[in-house]
Amino acid sequence: MSQFAEYEMESVPRAVATGSQSISQIRITRIVTRSLPLSVLTSMDNIMVRFKSAQGYFQPSAERTILKTLTLICLGLFFFANASVFAQVPASSIPSPTPDQAVTVPTVATEFHANAGKPLPPLTRVGVDLNEQKPLTMREAITMALRNNKDIEVARDNVSIAEADLLTAHGAYDPRLSAQSYFERIKTPAASFLSGASGAVETSDFTNTGRLEGLAPKFGGIYRVDFSSIRQTSNSQFTALNPQYPTALTFSFTQPLARGLRFDLPRRQIEVAKKNLSLTDAQFRQRAIEVITSVQRTYWDLVFALRNLQIQRDSLTDARAQLEHNRRLVTEGSLAPIDVVAAETQVANFEQAEFAALEDVTRTENNLKNLIAENQQAPLWNVSVVPTDNVDLSAPQISLPDAMQAAKENRPELKQSDLAREINQLDQKLYRDLTKPEIDLVGSYGAVGNAGTLTTTVSPFTLSTNNLSARVNQLSALAGLPPLPPAPASAIPQNLIGGYGQSLSNLASNQFNNFRVGVSLSLPLRNRTAEGQLAHSLIEGRRIATQREQLEQLIQLDVRNTLQTLTTAQARLRSAAVARHNAEQQYESEKRKLDAGQSTVFLVLERQTALSVARGNELRAQTDLNKAIAELQHATGNSLAANNVAVKAR
């Protein structure tokens, strides 16, 4: 355990044997015991003991001096101990660590030293032949990206899918043709005297039916046309035409009067498909704008990386020249040998910067190739891309109101929001219609035809009647009575005698027809499904309106920030140019001072480093200004027009 004591000092009068004067005896008393390291407590006790043993030899002035000194020492030790106590948990609650409990920290390459004599690796780029260079303009890069970029290809496929969906929606109004053909034989027992057959009645027919049906493009009507033709034979003696060919043609139409009259599900699907086609077109244009902006950013990043590599090479060349200059001055005795070491360190630092700049070139070039290359086997991956467009040092002048107006007119996101709102309105229109009762006007009209071969078999009714009339006439003659008048003969009309062609002719003549007109009513007692769908669409409409307000606010934020970035980039470019010019003058001046013996190598190297940084800052400001211009085009939705790009999704 550690303790510390708090001491109190007081002066006590005491007579001194050497004179009549009296000095104050210093009495130090331990009054409070607290936590303090044992070594501190021991040191304070030793000091007090020595002070008490020597206090008789001091004069009053010396007494006061020593008293003040000891007081300061004690207070210093006191505050030091309190700081340790307040900064951590009291030592009384934490046991002192033993050697076995100490945390072991592994050593990692403690004896490593770089081999200064080892040569640097060659300045090469992985997978790129530096002898094969491809000059590339911004417009060429944008054209290649729009033609080869995978995101653009996916967006173009989405437009094609929307076109196919629109074609599918129109298919709801395609007429549907169905047909049936079958042979049927029916044999029923003759259970009636009027069955016309003995034992069983056999009927066989070969039937062909066809139906054409579909939806009317307007007003929601449903039409249907049925046609049937039969070849029928029977063994019934009552059949006058055997075989016979009955035919029929029927047209029916159902017209909604309430639900489905103005709007229905097929018409909603067509309108939604049209909106989705416009939506995917707007999404395609948005994706094209994003790709163009990405190409512009990456293009200027590559410009910066290549020129920054040249800056680092120039700085390295300058540092090596300064190293040789320092070596000559050391030989002449004007500089100390340590100044050569400082120059060598500067060369090593610039060598690191050169390799880092080379890596940046490779990374930014790969990013650009990823945007514009056709695929991973494209020859573009193996060549060195060299941007040829010069940086634009003048920014477009546009006010905030004009930029906001351009954004509202051109941003595809707003067009997408409008289309989403229009689709929601179509949903509301449909669900309101579904809440109406289903009242339909139903009508049909049909024509029939028939023909067949006249049989030679006499009807049982006619045969029995003829026999009875003949016997009555014989009896009447014997009785001297006049004979009965002959019964009127019932003959089959001549237009019904014939084959299948005659039946079709009778059908076309419309001699035998029928029609029907009526009203069909379907009224659900509760229509919670349609009511719930309508409520959902209304809530969805409010959500879309809220999102539209949020989108407009985000676009305003984007435009404001972009304009501010553009203004800042202009100011940075001017200041960076001034700083680079001044850094060049300061560096040249410092070198002349060094040659005249009025400066040091340290200051020259500092000026050299500052010049390299200033050149990089100026280059960065130039490319940042061009990137800010690209961002402004993106924020106002003007990237396509500004780069003379005509996008065709189909």
Side-chain angles (χ1 to χ4, degrees):
M1 296 294 293
S2 300
Q3 295 180 340
F4 78 87
E6 189 173 284
Y7 293 88
E8 181 183 40
M9 300 181 186
E10 60 178 345
S11 298
V12 180
R14 180 185 177 185
V16 181
T18 56
S20 61
Q21 294 179 339
S22 63
I23 61 173
S24 297
Q25 179 184 5
I26 300 175
R27 184 168 55 193
I28 303 174
T29 308
R30 179 185 295 181
I31 60 175
V32 180
T33 301
R34 296 182 184 176
S35 297
L36 185 70
L38 185 59
S39 58
V40 176
L41 179 61
T42 304
S43 300
M44 294 179 64
D45 288 338
N46 292 336
I47 293 173
M48 295 303 105
V49 171
R50 293 180 181 179
F51 178 73
K52 289 179 179 179
S53 62
Q55 63 182 355
Y57 301 98
F58 292 110
Q59 299 296 327
S61 60
E63 175 187 350
R64 289 192 298 271
T65 301
I66 294 176
L67 178 61
K68 292 179 180 179
T69 302
L70 288 176
T71 302
L72 291 176
I73 292 174
C74 293
L75 289 176
L77 291 174
F78 171 75
F79 286 120
F80 174 78
N82 278 341
S84 301
V85 171
F86 294 147
Q88 55 187 333
V89 180
S92 59
S93 61
I94 301 177
S96 301
T98 62
D100 295 336
Q101 295 175 337
V103 179
T104 303
V105 179
T107 57
V108 179
T110 56
E111 302 299 328
F112 172 78
H113 296 285
N115 185 3
K118 184 178 180 180
L120 292 173
L123 283 168
T124 58
R125 297 173 55 195
V126 177
V128 176
D129 186 0
L130 297 180
N131 296 323
E132 294 290 334
Q133 297 185 351
K134 177 179 176 55
L136 186 68
T137 64
M138 177 68 77
R139 182 168 182 81
E140 290 174 344
I142 292 175
T143 302
M144 295 174 66
L146 295 178
R147 184 174 60 247
N148 301 326
N149 187 267
K150 303 306 178 186
D151 292 335
I152 291 293
E153 185 175 348
V154 171
R156 188 180 291 111
D157 290 340
N158 290 337
V159 175
S160 300
I161 291 174
E163 290 178 337
D165 292 341
L166 178 58
L167 182 63
T168 302
H170 279 290
Y173 295 103
D174 292 343
R176 293 177 296 279
L177 179 64
S178 59
Q180 275 187 322
S181 180
Y182 58 88
F183 174 78
E184 185 179 28
R185 182 175 180 271
I186 301 175
K187 185 176 182 180
T188 58
S192 173
F193 296 107
L194 302 178
S195 60
S198 176
V201 179
E202 294 184 8
T203 302
S204 61
D205 60 78
F206 185 76
T207 304
N208 295 282
T209 62
R211 174 176 291 181
L212 180 68
E213 59 184 345
L215 299 176
K218 294 183 179 181
F219 307 116
I222 302 174
Y223 62 87
R224 188 176 69 187
V225 179
D226 292 308
F227 173 76
S228 64
S229 64
I230 305 173
R231 183 187 185 277
Q232 187 176 20
T233 60
S234 177
N235 65 347
S236 176
Q237 296 180 2
F238 295 107
T239 303
L241 300 176
N242 194 18
Q244 59 179 315
Y245 303 92
T247 56
L249 179 65
T250 304
F251 174 78
S252 59
F253 190 83
T254 301
Q255 175 60 53
L257 300 179
R259 181 192 302 179
L261 176 62
R262 300 181 180 276
F263 203 65
D264 57 5
L265 181 59
R267 280 176 279 182
R268 180 257 180 194
Q269 290 176 339
I270 291 177
E271 294 300 323
V272 169
K274 291 179 180 179
K275 301 300 181 184
N276 285 334
L277 180 58
S278 301
L279 180 63
T280 53
D281 185 78
Q283 291 172 344
F284 176 79
R285 295 177 66 85
Q286 179 184 359
R287 189 57 195 151
I289 291 175
E290 292 174 354
V291 168
I292 290 174
T293 305
S294 298
V295 170
Q296 290 175 316
R297 292 195 202 103
T298 311
Y299 187 91
W300 295 121
D301 285 340
L302 180 58
V303 170
F304 171 80
L306 287 171
R307 296 187 181 180
N308 183 58
L309 176 60
Q310 187 61 47
I311 289 175
Q312 301 306 323
R313 287 178 176 175
D314 293 342
S315 299
L316 179 59
T317 301
D318 197 8
R320 287 172 176 169
Q322 186 65 39
L323 174 60
E324 295 300 325
H325 183 70
N326 288 4
R327 286 173 177 171
R328 289 194 301 269
L329 293 179
V330 169
T331 304
E332 295 173 359
S334 300
L335 293 178
I338 193 62
D339 292 330
V340 174
V341 176
E344 289 176 345
T345 303
Q346 183 80 330
V347 170
N349 291 334
F350 280 128
E351 287 175 345
Q352 297 180 56
E354 182 183 25
F355 276 93
L358 181 65
E359 181 182 355
D360 289 339
V361 170
T362 300
R363 290 182 180 275
T364 54
E365 185 182 82
N366 287 338
N367 291 336
L368 181 61
K369 290 177 179 178
N370 185 51
L371 292 173
I372 65 178
E374 182 178 1
N375 50 47
Q376 60 181 356
Q377 287 81 26
L380 181 66
W381 289 98
N382 301 322
V383 301
S384 177
V385 176
V386 180
T388 58
D389 282 13
N390 293 324
V391 292
D392 192 351
L393 302 180
S394 59
Q397 301 298 323
I398 183 172
S399 63
L400 178 59
D402 293 340
M404 285 299 304
Q405 183 64 28
K408 291 180 179 179
E409 294 175 355
N410 301 326
R411 286 291 287 261
E413 298 95 320
L414 295 177
K415 178 66 175 177
Q416 296 175 38
S417 178
D418 293 338
L419 291 171
R421 176 178 53 83
E422 293 172 2
I423 292 175
N424 176 258
Q425 291 176 348
L426 292 174
D427 292 339
Q428 295 181 22
K429 185 177 180 180
L430 173 64
Y431 298 139
R432 281 195 179 95
D433 187 82
L434 291 178
T435 59
K436 299 177 181 179
E438 188 175 356
I439 305 174
D440 299 333
L441 177 64
V442 180
S444 65
Y445 183 86
V448 297
N450 201 356
T453 303
L454 187 63
T455 61
T456 57
T457 304
V458 180
S459 173
F461 295 107
T462 304
L463 181 60
S464 60
T465 302
N466 291 339
N467 292 335
L468 180 61
S469 297
R471 180 59 58 90
V472 170
N473 288 335
Q474 290 176 1
L475 295 175
S476 297
L478 293 176
L481 297 175
L484 294 175
S490 60
I492 301 298
Q494 291 297 320
N495 62 346
L496 295 182
I497 300 175
Y500 182 67
Q502 183 62 37
S503 177
L504 293 178
S505 177
N506 294 335
L507 178 67
S509 65
N510 197 24
Q511 299 179 39
F512 314 100
N513 52 54
N514 58 80
F515 68 91
R516 181 178 62 184
V517 177
V519 176
S520 174
L521 175 63
S522 177
L523 181 62
L525 299 181
R526 297 190 66 180
N527 198 358
R528 289 179 291 182
T529 300
E531 293 174 356
Q533 291 172 336
L534 178 59
H536 178 87
S537 63
L538 293 175
I539 298 172
E540 180 70 14
R542 293 197 298 268
R543 186 182 67 85
I544 292 175
T546 303
Q547 290 178 340
R548 173 59 182 253
E549 295 178 358
Q550 183 183 18
L551 178 60
E552 290 178 348
Q553 185 170 337
L554 291 176
I555 290 177
Q556 175 180 333
L557 175 65
D558 191 14
V559 171
R560 286 176 175 270
N561 289 342
T562 304
L563 287 176
Q564 186 63 54
T565 301
L566 186 64
T567 303
T568 304
Q570 289 179 285
R572 285 179 52 215
L573 178 58
R574 177 195 172 279
S575 300
V578 173
R580 186 264 310 158
H581 178 71
N582 294 339
E584 289 177 345
Q585 293 182 345
Q586 289 173 337
Y587 177 55
E588 295 298 329
S589 174
E590 207 67 43
K591 287 196 298 182
R592 291 192 297 268
K593 289 181 180 180
L594 177 64
D595 293 340
Q598 299 177 355
S599 182
T600 63
V601 172
F602 175 79
L603 293 178
V604 172
L605 298 182
E606 285 292 317
R607 297 298 186 188
Q608 189 180 65
T609 303
L611 176 59
S612 178
V613 173
R615 288 173 176 172
N617 290 339
E618 182 184 20
L619 176 59
R620 174 62 74 183
Q622 292 175 354
T623 55
D624 283 351
L625 175 61
N626 286 262
K627 290 167 67 175
I629 295 174
E631 294 293 343
L632 178 62
Q633 295 173 0
H634 179 271
T636 57
N638 197 34
S639 298
L640 299 176
N643 293 279
N644 297 321
V645 175
V647 177
K648 293 183 179 180
R650 300 182 295 275

